[in-house]
Amino acid sequence: MRARKIARPTTLSDVARLAGVSPATASKALNGRDEVAPATRQRVIDAAERLAFSPNQLAKGLFAGRTGTVGLLTSDLEGRFVIPILMGAEDAFGAGQVNAFLCDARGDEIREQHHLRALLSRRIDGLIVVGRQTDPRPSLGHDLGVPVVYAYAPSDDETDLSITPDNVEAGRMAAEHLISLGRTRIAQISGDRSYAAARDRVTGANQAFKAAGLTPVGDVMFGDWSETWGRDAAAAMLAQHPEIDAVLCGSDQISRGVLDHLRDIGRSVPHDVAVMGFDNWLVLTTNARPQLSSIDANLKQLGRTAAERVFAALDGEDIGTGIELTPPRLVIRGSTVARLG
Amino acid sequence: MRARKIARPTTLSDVARLAGVSPATASKALNGRDEVAPATRQRVIDAAERLAFSPNQLAKGLFAGRTGTVGLLTSDLEGRFVIPILMGAEDAFGAGQVNAFLCDARGDEIREQHHLRALLSRRIDGLIVVGRQTDPRPSLGHDLGVPVVYAYAPSDDETDLSITPDNVEAGRMAAEHLISLGRTRIAQISGDRSYAAARDRVTGANQAFKAAGLTPVGDVMFGDWSETWGRDAAAAMLAQHPEIDAVLCGSDQISRGVLDHLRDIGRSVPHDVAVMGFDNWLVLTTNARPQLSSIDANLKQLGRTAAERVFAALDGEDIGTGIELTPPRLVIRGSTVARLG
DNA sequence: CTGTTAGCGCCTTCAC
DNA sequence: GTGAAGGCGCTAACAG
């Protein structure tokens, strides 16, 4: 990379010159207006191709008012949630005209404001705000000039539109799966009680237990989201309730810890004890022994939905307000099978 | 979100009108130029505040010839490498005027071209291309009109500038650490041989063994990057070479599998056998039993360096070409201690 | 100290 | 099919 060798990007005029027409004609030709002869149009298109011309969206946007860019503002440090959401959003945009730009605020409000300004000042058409937990987050307000959709973490303002995984349903689904396998002595080892995700999943599971006439074994144990907590909690739980035939965990990490402890004390998974996780984090679930059943939050689908809502708003549709829940998906692997006998 | 409620963003003229001054004066006031009366400045600032004015960077850039935006183009699906690099880059930009926009090409060349066009057509000032492995990737060429720096995955064109982790040094560092602990019967269980990262780390480790006059135990085992492979390989390796007193693994995932197997056969870690990983993926290293020593590739530093190079190029400096290696960092945890006796 | 004027770069529309 | 004109939001000259 030599200094100053930097070539000016190709402009419409460059294309026009190469095609031997005026910029105006080139513009019409490339934009599919029909006041131009087919042969001329082809010449222009060829020239554009040859120069790898990409129209300056900025100058274009000055006019059209649309830039074809959607911003993704995240606070999700590790990118564990935001990446699938980004992918889903991009899928919704298609290979078409729209691009997603991702900014990471790292959970820092100053940084978030900074990125927000940057995105807005670049005249993005819409904004998707992604949080790292399902607890409500402060609204960015309504005066941004572009449609905003909150993904994963809902806005605390009910007049915003938020799309978030249905963790109550996820909990219910997980519990029903264990029940359907004939498990009746089910314990819950959850994550951080301060997370709505932890509480909601427990709520859903308890609904399922109640509906099936089952009483969960022991109290739900809340801790943190780590493998270590899963091990410790499993040790305490099994010491007190050795009769357990299934453990419903708050996350895949916790499940891994629980699996570890069960192996340590010689309990067999899945026949003796079945284990379920949440999140379907592949690096954890598919490498476990046995592989872990889990609930997938369908984040890609969530991202797609969020993007579709942004589009709809751009097209002038009323996309509604409040919290829209997306359904989870049960992923069955070796850690949950029907009870023998 | 009501349809069509979308308001035009506030412009400098709006602010000026509210403050009862001309746009030029408002500009001076907000930009801290001193050719403006304190009282007037205050009025303008208040007005800007009240309208939540954010200057249009594009128009600003129109004038300055710079947009203050750097693109990050990644193919790193999971975001495991790109996120720390993004963070480092942002740190280099400071809380200042520059923003990073991340686009995910998902390893798809069409998508990459599409994103590239989008970024260029928004007149980004520079580009950082992030790959997911340390093997060379196709160059984007030199005619992009902006400086390009390749991060993690180097360009296959030596006239590009690439910044990538020094995996040979990482391997050497890991091996030297084990040697310094008095370990002499060290086996290597690596990852996918088709990855330069796997081969380079082995190369570095072998250099260290040779320098110390040690002969590695058994052949280096190549497989994939998974925990499962770690378990299987450890089983094979230890069956044949039970005398092993340390295992150097190709990744943290593999290490986890090795730890698992050692526990299964009742070998104690770290006293009997020490285990080292690579990558320092916290969710794996800090939740292992015992916690895993690892080599951290300092990706955040890498991102910072890449961003600095882009800046330097923008300022007209010659930033050089070829592959620049960034040094790794040894992270010692409970899985590696000195041999007893 | 403030307002006016003239672009920045690029694309599009409006007359011909 | 063309050329000229106009504009987006902002800033730097310069004039008042």
Side-chain angles (χ1 to χ4, degrees), chain A residues 24-25 28 36-37 40 62:
Chain A
T25 310
K28 283 179 205 155
V36 63
T40 316
L62 290 181

Side-chain angles (χ1 to χ4, degrees), chain A residues 5-190:
Chain A
K5 200 209 67 173
I6 297 164
R8 199 178 39 73
T10 338
T11 73
L12 183 62
S13 308
D14 298 332
V15 175
R17 200 174 316 118
L18 180 60
V21 296
S22 75
T25 310
S27 170
K28 283 179 205 155
L30 292 177
N31 289 318
R33 311 281 303 272
D34 45 357
E35 309 124 312
V36 63
T40 316
R41 159 165 300 137
Q42 198 50 52
R43 269 215 323 285
V44 174
I45 290 177
D46 289 347
E49 201 100 323
R50 223 146 68 76
L51 296 176
F53 168 68
S54 68
N56 186 329
Q57 295 294 347
L58 307 190
K60 209 170 184 172
L62 290 181
F63 262 91
R66 256 209 222 177
T67 58
T69 314
V70 171
L72 245 91
L73 187 55
T74 181
S75 322
D76 173 20
L77 206 59
E78 307 163 41
R80 201 149 69 73
F81 301 130
V82 79
I83 297 285
I85 290 175
L86 168 64
M87 287 168 66
E90 285 189 332
D91 285 352
F93 300 148
Q97 313 305 331
V98 182
N99 276 82
F101 285 160
L102 177 65
C103 292
D104 185 2
R106 298 196 225 170
D108 172 351
E109 234 177 287
I110 310 258
R111 215 184 294 263
E112 181 171 281
Q113 280 301 321
H114 179 229
H115 280 307
L116 178 60
R117 294 246 169 161
L119 286 167
L120 290 177
S121 71
R122 290 191 167 69
R123 296 300 181 257
I124 52 166
D125 293 333
L127 186 63
I128 299 176
V129 182
V130 184
R132 66 175 127 186
Q133 18 180 137
T134 57
D135 300 80
R137 50 146 291 144
S139 171
L140 292 176
H142 294 270
D143 303 324
L144 298 183
V146 295
V148 182
V149 173
Y150 296 79
Y152 202 81
S155 162
D156 61 3
D157 181 339
E158 290 188 0
T159 62
D160 289 323
L161 175 63
S162 305
I163 303 179
T164 188
D166 189 343
N167 274 315
V168 175
E169 174 60 21
R172 188 182 304 125
M173 193 178 267
E176 280 170 357
H177 173 56
L178 292 174
I179 294 167
S180 77
L181 298 174
R183 309 287 168 164
T184 54
R185 298 181 301 279
I186 306 174
Q188 286 189 74
I189 297 177
S190 181

Side-chain angles (χ1 to χ4, degrees), chain B residues 163-221:
Chain B
I163 303 179
T164 189
D166 189 343
N167 274 315
V168 175
E169 173 61 21
R172 188 182 305 125
M173 194 178 267
E176 281 170 357
H177 173 56
L178 292 174
I179 294 166
S180 77
L181 298 175
R183 309 285 168 165
T184 54
R185 299 181 301 277
I186 306 174
Q188 286 188 73
I189 298 177
S190 183
D192 188 333
R193 167 183 259 143
S194 71
Y195 282 59
R199 300 189 304 271
D200 290 345
R201 288 166 187 175
V202 168
T203 301
N206 285 340
Q207 287 174 5
F209 293 143
K210 193 167 175 191
L214 287 180
T215 312
V217 178
D219 287 335
V220 178
M221 299 185 74

Side-chain angles (χ1 to χ4, degrees), chain A residues 287-304:
Chain A
N287 282 299
R289 275 187 306 178
Q291 295 201 355
L292 256 178
S293 295
S294 194
I295 303 285
D296 191 303
N298 278 334
L299 294 178
K300 211 165 155 180
Q301 177 57 45
L302 195 157
R304 176 187 290 267

Side-chain angles (χ1 to χ4, degrees), chain A residues 106, chain B residues 84-85 87-89 91 296-305:
Chain A
R106 298 196 225 170
Chain B
I85 290 175
M87 285 168 64
D91 285 353
D296 191 303
N298 277 335
L299 294 178
K300 209 165 154 180
Q301 177 58 44
L302 195 157
R304 176 189 290 267
T305 306

